[in-house]
Amino acid sequence: YDDEVVGWTPNRNGIEIQTEDTLGLKPQHGDNYVELEPVRNTRISQEIQFDAGFYKLSFWFSPRTLVPLSTSDLIYEISGGIIAETIASAGEYTLSFFGAGRDRTAPGCGHCGALLDNVSIAAVPLPASSLLLLAGLGGLATLRRKAK
């Protein structure tokens, strides 16, 4: 087990770093990807500082084996009040990924880790129409104050 993934903190159970040579799956970004096992409740997490706004989370996931997906599932969460893609307020949040699914000792399961790579969070800019609407509302508010 190797728990060295720059910027990420594994739980006490550690994680496995895999390569294309190990499992035959090509990494989506770089030379490696992470395997999170359900039997050990493997988790990695990262603290992220957000400004108020909209964000999009994306990542690559694959089950380790060709057995049904329920044996190699992945769960993710962002703590601190995020609803859908909206950040309620600026602050620090924790992004976590967990290995989930059946225990790897279950019949037909073998190695059942969830494979994770290419995690990305990007700010989603407001559409130009939204910016124009906000500018228009600001202008109306200014005119109303002057009228008083």
Side-chain angles (χ1 to χ4, degrees):
Y1 293 95
D2 181 0
D3 59 5
E4 294 297 321
V5 180
V6 176
W8 292 89
T9 304
N11 67 345
R12 59 183 165 76
N13 294 325
I15 58 175
E16 289 186 47
I17 306 299
Q18 304 292 6
T19 67
E20 183 175 3
D21 294 335
T22 308
L23 299 177
L25 291 173
K26 184 175 180 164
Q28 297 298 299
H29 181 74
D31 297 324
N32 305 307
Y33 45 87
V34 174
E35 181 172 9
L36 305 170
E37 294 186 23
V39 70
R40 295 167 53 95
N41 296 320
T42 306
R43 178 188 76 228
I44 59 171
S45 58
Q46 184 178 81
E47 301 297 319
I48 302 170
Q49 184 71 37
F50 285 119
D51 293 327
F54 295 90
Y55 293 84
K56 181 178 180 180
L57 169 66
S58 63
F59 55 89
W60 174 83
F61 159 72
S62 175
R64 178 174 173 155
T65 63
L66 298 177
V67 296
L69 184 61
S70 63
T71 64
S72 301
D73 208 355
L74 181 75
I75 298 171
Y76 67 93
E77 68 181 16
I78 302 176
S79 68
I82 294 180
I83 301 171
E85 293 182 345
T86 304
I87 304 300
S89 61
E92 188 169 279
Y93 297 84
T94 302
L95 170 62
S96 298
F97 290 92
F98 304 84
R102 289 192 333 208
D103 185 308
R104 70 189 281 176
T105 60
C109 186
H111 295 280
C112 294
L115 306 175
L116 173 68
D117 195 12
N118 206 16
V119 177
S120 171
I121 297 179
V124 177
L126 289 174
S129 58
S130 297
L131 293 174
L132 287 174
L133 175 64
L134 290 173
L137 291 174
L140 288 174
T142 303
L143 289 173
R144 188 170 185 176
R145 280 189 204 144
K146 287 183 179 181
K148 288 182 179 184

